[in-house]
Amino acid sequence: MERPLLESRLEAGLGARLVRVVAGAGYGKTTLLSTTISRLGARAAFCRCASSSRGRLGEAAARGLGVLGLRDATAPPGRRGGARALVERAVDSPSLRDAVLVLDDVHMALG
């Protein structure tokens, strides 16, 4: 299903430091993201957070950032704010300026 309004809003938002896409299960968030990112030809890493990753959002972010090529992409284990620090470092990395990190089902990793 084509959703030109949502795709154009997402495309405009991808230049921001953070884009949050929220909707219920089955509404097509992942499909919207993958379609738009593919159409733009952007480098992307999709990481799905599972219930087993509860409290380890930093690890999911590190996994995706490592795929995108961020050197030393590690989050301090068990440290509050580790994911935030890691993502902030990635945002400032010149090698990742054109990259998109998608953390899917983030609510599963929040602890």
Side-chain angles (χ1 to χ4, degrees):
M1 173 197 311
E2 291 187 22
R3 296 170 283 187
L5 178 60
L6 285 175
E7 290 175 12
S8 66
R9 290 182 69 188
L10 179 59
E11 184 176 336
L14 286 178
R17 289 174 52 128
L18 175 68
V19 175
R20 186 174 75 159
V21 178
V22 180
Y27 277 79
K29 299 173 297 293
T30 303
T31 301
L32 172 67
L33 285 162
S34 62
T35 300
T36 303
I37 290 167
S38 177
R39 186 173 42 79
L40 295 173
R43 290 186 309 135
F46 282 75
C47 294
R48 173 160 281 135
C49 300
S51 58
S52 61
S53 61
R54 182 159 302 284
R56 298 193 311 241
L57 181 58
E59 291 175 24
R63 208 170 43 247
L65 292 169
V67 167
L68 290 170
L70 183 67
R71 288 187 297 197
D72 303 322
T74 57
R79 191 180 126 221
R80 284 186 71 75
R84 179 181 178 166
L86 177 62
V87 171
E88 285 176 353
R89 187 166 65 90
V91 166
D92 292 334
S93 172
S95 66
L96 296 181
R97 293 262 186 250
D98 65 340
V100 177
L101 172 63
V102 177
L103 298 174
D104 205 354
D105 293 330
V106 168
H107 65 282
M108 300 294 273
L110 299 176

